[in-house]
Amino acid sequence: MALDLFAGIPVTHYAAALEWYERLLGSPPAFFPNDTEAVWELAEHRYVYIEARPEHAGHARNTLFVGDLDARVAQIAGRGLDPTARETYSNGVRKITYRDPDGNETAFGGAST
């Protein structure tokens, strides 16, 4: 069964969010479905998108599990963003969380090193 995932993030200020997510994700969007949405393809058939929906902004929470968490965090830092939280779970899995200007959370998780 084929499956595509689109994880949506409602934002207040589309232009500001577009710039912030380009810095977080390290690239411009893969495509723009319309004037109020931008979509990034994170992996085959796995997308995250921002959408101008001020009445819902600030409530999204997404976690992306990556192979090299330290490299990802270093790359994001190189683009000028710092995490708002760092956690290590009892099994050694780590989670690094970033919050956009609206308070939406995007976290990156990784196995213990």
Side-chain angles (χ1 to χ4, degrees):
M1 169 171 70
L3 176 70
D4 287 6
L5 172 67
F6 283 84
I9 302 169
V11 298
T12 301
H13 302 288
Y14 177 76
L18 178 62
E19 188 272 330
W20 192 89
Y21 280 95
E22 286 179 345
R23 289 172 55 205
L24 180 69
L25 300 172
S27 69
F31 63 94
F32 299 89
N34 56 54
D35 291 343
T36 63
E37 292 181 76
V39 181
W40 287 262
E41 184 173 18
L42 305 178
E44 187 175 10
H45 305 288
R46 293 165 185 90
Y47 303 87
V48 64
Y49 68 96
I50 61 169
E51 180 180 16
R53 294 190 68 189
E55 67 280 7
H56 296 286
H59 300 284
R61 296 178 70 190
N62 296 296
T63 300
L64 311 167
F65 206 82
V66 296
D68 189 339
L69 181 60
D70 293 326
R72 180 66 56 116
V73 171
Q75 291 165 355
I76 294 169
R79 295 188 292 270
L81 297 179
D82 294 316
T84 56
R86 296 174 182 264
E87 301 173 74
T88 302
Y89 298 102
S90 61
N91 63 358
V93 170
R94 296 176 299 139
K95 179 180 170 185
I96 310 298
T97 302
Y98 298 85
R99 284 193 184 88
D100 74 10
D102 287 310
N104 294 303
E105 294 182 7
T106 299
F108 294 91
S112 60
T113 55

